[in-house]
């Protein structure tokens, strides 16, 4: 498993015979070196998909929460989905990702979900860079407005972006992905949404009740005073006040909602990577690279299902591949069943 993470951390840049050359090489020569499971013929955009590009919403964070999924017929009938076949569902690691998904007993749940969100975004970023590679002959990125006029996950599913007027608009996939990245990075670096300091501060003084050294000093005035007795007809949660995931670690009440939004949007990127770019570039780069994509996505789904961070309906565009991993144990039963699913 460490081999997988080492290769992903290094990115594809170290595989000079892979991503860079693969993206720029002559397509015919490329296929002769690395036979595709199916011929890749990009679908031409329909007239309804073309037109003036949409401008970026000025405040993507306010628009991401309710981005909608719509069923459309924007593309021609899809060819056989080879990434839904067991032969192409292989991982570059052995076993499953439960050891990396399960929360250590000594960690707060909020801290663990924040760690997982940052880690999953780091991993998916390497695959995003891959589809942003430019062809040296055309100077056009692999994922571009012509080949990917919408943020699609197959021929009948496209994702819309909500602008500041709460209107669902369709933007090209590369713009949608950029907006998602901007939103997630903004949250991760927001000290309020993802705090890195202890809620109690680093220099919180400790007191020993009635210690002689505190008598007549400033600390004496700050010494904790025992609270009065409470009634026994109230639960501890009532006495503690409103609770939420991450509260004890200093995360805001909106934390879990932000994590689920990030998870949902990262899933949409994975779905687009498979449905639109599995052949080009991931298969054409070098065969094992699609297994790195599989491994990263399997890890992502394992964590998402284990803690209930993404709904079953959201997973539908990739359900066939997920079912393969559940059946062969790559996604263990505890993850598949949402053993630690958060109901809040």
């Amino acid at each position: 498993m460490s081999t997988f993470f080492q290769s992903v951390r290094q990115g594809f840049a170290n595989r000079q015979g892979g991503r860079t050359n693969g993206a720029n090489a002559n397509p015919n020569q490329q296929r002769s070196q690395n036979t595709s499971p199916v011929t890749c013929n990009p679908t031409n955009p329909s007239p309804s998909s073309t037109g003036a590009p949409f401008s970026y919403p000025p405040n993507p964070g306010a628009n991401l929460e309710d981005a909608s999924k719509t069923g459309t017929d924007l593309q021609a009938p899809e060819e056989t989905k080879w990434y839904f076949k067991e032969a192409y569902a292989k991982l570059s690691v052995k076993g499953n990702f439960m050891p990396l998904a399960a929360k250590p007993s000594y960690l707060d749940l909020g801290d663990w979900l924040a760690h997982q969100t940052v880690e999953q975004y780091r991993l998916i970023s390497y695959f995003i860079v891959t589809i942003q590679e430019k062809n040296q002959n055309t100077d056009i990125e692999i994922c571009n407005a012509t080949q990917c006029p919408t943020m699609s996950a197959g021929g009948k599913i496209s994702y819309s972006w909500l602008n500041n007027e709460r209107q669902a608009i369709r933007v090209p996939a590369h713009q949608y992905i950029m907006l998602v990245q901007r939103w997630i990075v903004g949250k991760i670096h927001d000290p309020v949404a993802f705090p890195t300091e202890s809620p109690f501060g680093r220099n919180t003084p400790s007191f020993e009740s009635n210690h002689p050294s505190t008598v007549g000093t400033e600390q004496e005035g700050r010494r904790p005073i025992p609270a009065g007795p409470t009634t026994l007809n109230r639960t501890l949660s009532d006495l503690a006040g409103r609770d939420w995931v991450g509260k004890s670690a200093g995360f805001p009440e909106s934390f879990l909602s932000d994590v689920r939004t990030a998870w949902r949007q990262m899933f949409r990127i994975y779905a687009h990577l498979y449905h639109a770019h599995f052949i080009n570039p991931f298969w054409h780069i070098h065969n094992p690279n699609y297994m790195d994509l599989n491994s990263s996505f399997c890890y992502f789904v394992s964590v998402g299902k284990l803690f209930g961070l993404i709904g079953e309906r959201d997973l539908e565009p990739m359900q066939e591949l997920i079912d393969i991993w559940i059946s062969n144990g790559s996604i263990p039963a505890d993850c598949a069943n949402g053993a630690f699913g958060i109901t809040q």
Side-chain angles (χ1 to χ4, degrees):
M1 192 170 293
S2 60
T3 304
F4 159 65
F5 286 107
Q6 182 179 5
S7 67
V8 173
R9 287 192 176 97
Q10 292 172 345
F12 297 113
N14 292 338
R15 300 177 182 176
Q16 294 299 325
R19 181 186 73 183
T20 304
N21 294 338
N24 300 329
N26 181 285
N28 295 328
Q29 180 182 1
Q30 195 173 11
R31 278 191 284 270
S32 64
Q33 295 175 347
N34 194 8
T35 306
S36 303
V38 61
T39 303
C40 181
N41 295 316
T43 303
N44 293 326
S46 64
S48 61
S49 309
T50 58
F54 291 102
S55 60
Y56 287 74
N59 184 11
N63 306 322
L64 202 59
E65 205 170 297
D66 298 318
S68 61
K69 180 179 74 173
T70 57
T72 61
D73 295 309
L74 297 176
Q75 301 179 9
E78 297 176 272
E79 297 178 349
T80 303
K81 300 180 181 67
W82 290 89
Y83 40 87
F84 286 162
K85 293 179 178 290
E86 191 163 5
Y88 302 99
K90 298 177 182 178
L91 307 180
S92 55
V93 300
K94 295 182 179 180
N96 59 58
F97 289 96
M98 191 64 180
L100 295 177
K103 181 185 77 67
S105 59
Y106 57 85
L107 278 183
D108 179 85
L109 179 58
D111 284 329
W112 186 242
L113 295 183
H115 160 74
Q116 287 291 349
T117 302
V118 173
E119 178 70 0
Q120 296 298 335
Y121 176 72
R122 186 187 65 80
L123 291 174
I124 199 173
S125 294
Y126 290 111
F127 301 108
I128 293 173
V129 169
T130 305
I131 64 171
Q132 293 172 339
E133 194 70 29
K134 290 185 177 180
N135 184 300
Q136 66 180 8
N137 297 319
T138 63
D139 198 38
I140 297 176
E141 296 179 354
I142 295 172
C143 184
N144 58 73
T146 301
Q147 293 197 21
C148 303
T150 64
M151 183 62 177
S152 61
K156 295 185 177 181
I157 295 178
S158 67
Y159 301 108
S160 300
W161 187 270
L162 294 185
N163 62 18
N164 277 351
E165 287 70 42
R166 312 297 293 177
Q167 297 172 332
I169 59 174
R170 294 194 182 103
V171 297
H174 72 282
Q175 290 187 11
Y176 188 104
I177 292 171
M178 191 180 302
L179 290 170
V180 171
Q181 288 184 284
R182 180 187 299 176
W183 187 88
I184 293 178
V185 170
K187 285 294 181 181
I188 290 174
H189 289 88
D190 183 346
V192 176
F194 275 62
T196 56
E197 297 290 339
S198 167
F200 306 105
R202 291 183 173 180
N203 299 315
T204 303
S206 58
F207 302 95
E208 183 178 345
S209 181
N210 296 324
H211 191 279
S213 64
T214 65
V215 176
T217 67
E218 181 183 357
Q219 282 189 336
E220 182 182 24
R222 292 187 295 162
R223 190 163 54 225
I225 300 174
T230 60
T231 59
L232 298 178
N233 58 356
R234 296 180 63 190
T235 64
L236 290 177
S237 59
D238 287 339
L239 294 172
R242 185 176 177 82
D243 196 15
W244 60 81
V245 172
K247 179 181 179 180
S248 60
F251 292 92
E253 192 169 355
S254 60
F255 171 70
L256 181 59
S257 175
D258 287 340
V259 168
R260 283 174 168 160
T261 297
W263 226 262
R264 185 168 61 251
Q265 295 298 330
M266 285 191 285
F267 171 82
R268 293 178 179 185
I269 294 176
Y270 272 118
H272 181 74
L273 293 178
Y274 275 96
H275 284 276
H277 299 292
F278 181 79
I279 302 300
N280 181 32
F282 294 105
W283 181 272
H284 279 171
I285 291 173
H286 191 269
N287 280 182
N289 286 356
Y290 80 87
M291 291 193 288
D292 285 347
L293 177 64
N294 285 347
S295 298
S296 184
F297 182 52
C298 185
Y299 177 24
F300 173 86
V301 173
S302 296
V303 177
K305 289 181 70 67
L306 180 64
F307 295 103
L309 302 179
I310 187 167
E312 293 300 319
R313 185 177 179 183
D314 291 309
L315 295 173
E316 287 178 4
M318 298 301 300
Q319 192 63 56
E320 294 178 60
L321 179 58
I322 293 171
D323 288 342
I324 291 174
W325 289 334
I326 292 175
S327 64
N328 65 23
S330 297
I331 296 179
D334 281 347
C335 292
N337 299 327
F340 302 109
I342 304 168
T343 58
Q344 180 178 318

